[in-house]
């Protein structure tokens, strides 16, 4: 009877029209290899989708990948070498800092801070100082997992200008781009101020907005100069994404906008309900997430987030992710995924309150 809020995924099954498209593709015999960079209909559909919200992105700049994390690994393989220095805005989903390390790069960390108003903030000057003139790349995840911090457009432009001057790559993980709660269609994107030839790689995924976590499909937007190399890297890693999954993604992009918007609206209601309930619990402080699907909260006096998370499983029967999993900056925090029905969120918050009262 443990209530699970540790996973970063929607609670609902992938919408039926997407599942039906995959079934139809399988029934039509789509069980063979495809082009390394993705099937043409999907790359064209992604180009059209991106063009509705950002400057035009030619389909030749789009690389279809076997998941968002595969996209991030491919990006790192394309631009990093052993000994390179990478700068990351943290706390951060651990894969994003471990991928460069696996490839032999060093990762410097620039932490977000929680303001008295419970908003997550980035010291842009500190980030630019850390990047300097010799970093190979900077990694930004906005909206951010685990905090929900969203990078303002002005900060993106300033970061891009600095990196342009010094030939530094930007890897922008925009997996949660559509999951924002200010009424806009999406969060600011590095695609907006950038030119096609900038040293910018944007990674995205079908997992979150279209509720397709188990389908393992993502994409990259890259400069034209990287396309050939990315094709080779896809070949060496996975060869291609499954055709029937790609066919389903075409339908998701074509017919799924209302589903995405409804999902985001519901996420916003769930966020608000959880934050209001947590605010009523003595000793709990939760940052206000601008996007994504997580509340990153701390409990007064808690120093060991892993021990606390284990204790909550054993004694309160609620599962939260320990903040230290997202780096040392997350120690003392817990990540709570609020992509669950409101009654479950409120019941779990009540369990947390009773647990803290017994401590």
């Amino acid at each position: 009877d443990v209530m699970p809020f540790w996973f970063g995924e929607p609670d609902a099954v992938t919408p039926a029209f997407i599942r039906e498209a995959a079934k139809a593709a399988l029934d039509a015999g789509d069980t063979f290899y495809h082009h390394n960079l993705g099937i043409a209909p999907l790359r064209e559909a992604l180009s059209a989708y991106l063009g509705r919200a950002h400057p035009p992105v030619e389909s030749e700049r789009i690389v279809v990948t076997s998941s968002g994390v595969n996209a991030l690994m491919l990006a790192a393989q394309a631009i990093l070498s052993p000994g390179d220095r990478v700068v990351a805005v943290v706390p951060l989903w651990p894969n994003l800092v471990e991928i460069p390390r696996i490839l032999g790069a060093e990762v410097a960390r620039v932490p977000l801070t929680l303001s008295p108003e419970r908003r997550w903030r980035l010291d842009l000057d500190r980030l630019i100082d850390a990047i300097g003139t010799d970093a190979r790349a900077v990694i930004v995840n906005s909206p951010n997992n685990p905090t929900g911090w969203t990078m303002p457009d002005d900060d993106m432009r300033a970061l891009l200008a600095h990196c342009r001057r010094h030939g530094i790559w930007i890897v922008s993980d925009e997996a949660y781009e559509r999951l924002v709660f200010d009424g806009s269609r999406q969060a600011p994107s590095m695609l907006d101020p950038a030119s096609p030839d900038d040293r910018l790689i944007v990674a995205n995924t079908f997992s979150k907005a279209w509720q397709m976590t188990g389908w393992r499909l993502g994409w990259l937007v890259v400069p034209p100069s990287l396309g050939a190399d990315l094709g080779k890297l896809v070949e060496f890693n996975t060869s291609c994404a499954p055709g029937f999954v790609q066919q389903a993604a075409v339908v998701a992009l074509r017919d799924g906008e209302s589903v995405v918007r409804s999902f985001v609206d519901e996420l916003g209601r769930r966020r608000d309900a959880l934050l209001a309930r947590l605010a009523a619990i003595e000793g709990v402080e939760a940052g206000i997430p601008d996007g994504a699907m997580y509340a990153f909260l701390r409990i007064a006096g808690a120093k060991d987030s892993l021990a606390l998370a284990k204790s909550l499983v054993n004694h309160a029967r609620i599962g939260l992710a320990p903040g230290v999993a997202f780096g040392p900056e997350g120690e003392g925090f817990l990540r709570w995924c609020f992509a669950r029905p409101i009654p479950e969120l409120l019941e779990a918050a009540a369990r947390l309150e009773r647990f803290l009262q017994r401590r």
Side-chain angles (χ1 to χ4, degrees):
D1 62 342
V2 174
M3 304 183 75
F5 304 97
W6 38 39
F7 297 117
E9 66 178 343
D11 63 309
V13 173
T14 302
F17 71 94
I18 300 175
R19 289 182 276 129
E20 290 301 323
K23 294 176 189 176
L26 281 170
D27 287 343
D30 193 350
T31 60
F32 298 95
Y33 290 129
H34 285 282
H35 195 288
N36 298 132
L37 297 177
I39 62 174
L42 179 54
R43 296 173 76 197
E44 291 164 2
L46 282 165
S47 175
Y49 167 78
L50 293 169
R52 289 194 286 271
H54 308 295
V57 176
E58 297 298 325
S59 61
E60 290 77 13
R61 295 178 56 206
I62 295 170
V63 179
V64 177
T65 64
S66 299
S67 76
V69 67
N70 175 238
L72 293 164
M73 175 58 85
L74 290 166
Q77 289 173 341
I79 64 173
L80 296 182
S81 299
D84 283 344
R85 193 170 68 87
V86 175
V87 179
V89 177
V90 293
L92 195 58
W93 184 48
N95 300 44
L96 274 168
V97 292
E98 295 307 322
I99 285 171
R101 288 177 176 156
I102 288 171
L103 298 175
E106 301 174 0
V107 180
R109 310 170 71 91
V110 177
L112 300 168
T113 57
L114 189 59
S115 74
E117 298 78 29
R118 297 190 294 122
R119 295 286 182 177
W120 293 97
R121 303 294 187 218
L122 170 67
D123 185 333
L124 183 64
D125 290 336
R126 183 174 179 182
L127 174 61
I128 289 176
D129 286 346
I131 296 168
T133 61
D134 65 339
R136 177 63 173 169
V138 57
I139 298 171
V140 177
N141 168 222
S142 171
N144 172 261
N145 175 9
T147 66
W149 165 78
T150 300
M151 192 175 200
D153 179 73
D154 287 347
D155 285 3
M156 287 187 169
R157 293 178 185 275
L159 175 62
L160 178 61
H162 177 82
C163 291
R164 271 178 180 160
R165 282 194 296 272
H166 302 289
I168 296 165
W169 285 93
I170 299 173
V171 178
S172 184
D173 177 9
E174 302 185 3
Y176 299 94
E177 178 192 21
R178 297 299 306 275
L179 309 189
V180 289
F181 309 116
D182 62 357
S184 61
R185 182 181 184 274
Q186 71 276 319
S189 168
M190 288 299 306
L191 291 172
D192 296 329
S195 299
D197 292 323
D198 279 322
R199 288 193 161 194
L200 169 68
I201 301 176
V202 174
N204 214 317
T205 176
F206 285 89
S207 290
K208 312 301 181 181
W210 291 273
Q211 303 172 70
M212 295 173 66
T213 51
W215 295 67
R216 316 313 298 136
L217 192 68
W219 75 87
L220 292 168
V221 178
V222 302
S225 59
L226 275 188
D229 287 342
L230 261 299
K232 296 172 187 175
L233 287 171
V234 172
E235 172 63 30
F236 300 151
N237 279 268
T238 59
S239 295
C240 62
F244 65 92
V245 174
Q246 295 190 63
Q247 294 283 6
V250 172
V251 174
L253 291 169
R254 187 190 70 200
D255 300 337
E257 187 61 25
S258 63
V259 171
V260 172
R261 290 177 181 267
S262 295
F263 174 53
V264 174
D265 288 345
E266 178 60 21
L267 269 185
R269 289 188 285 271
R270 294 173 179 187
R271 179 198 73 151
D272 294 345
L274 177 62
L275 292 179
R277 184 63 181 88
L278 292 176
I281 303 176
E282 184 177 357
V284 175
E285 181 184 24
I288 300 172
D290 297 314
M293 55 175 67
Y294 312 107
F296 207 47
L297 60 108
R298 58 187 169 193
I299 294 173
K303 303 296 183 183
D304 185 336
S305 60
L306 179 57
L308 176 58
K310 290 180 178 179
S311 186
L312 285 169
V313 170
N314 291 326
H315 302 293
R317 311 306 288 168
I318 55 176
L320 305 179
V324 72
F326 306 92
E329 304 80 10
E331 186 55 279
F333 285 81
L334 298 165
R335 191 195 73 173
W336 188 321
C337 178
F338 51 76
R340 306 289 301 181
I342 288 175
E344 292 184 20
L345 296 171
L346 298 181
E347 167 59 24
R351 293 186 185 189
L352 173 63
E353 186 173 37
R354 291 193 294 270
F355 170 85
L356 294 176
Q357 290 170 345
R358 294 194 299 266
R359 289 179 75 194

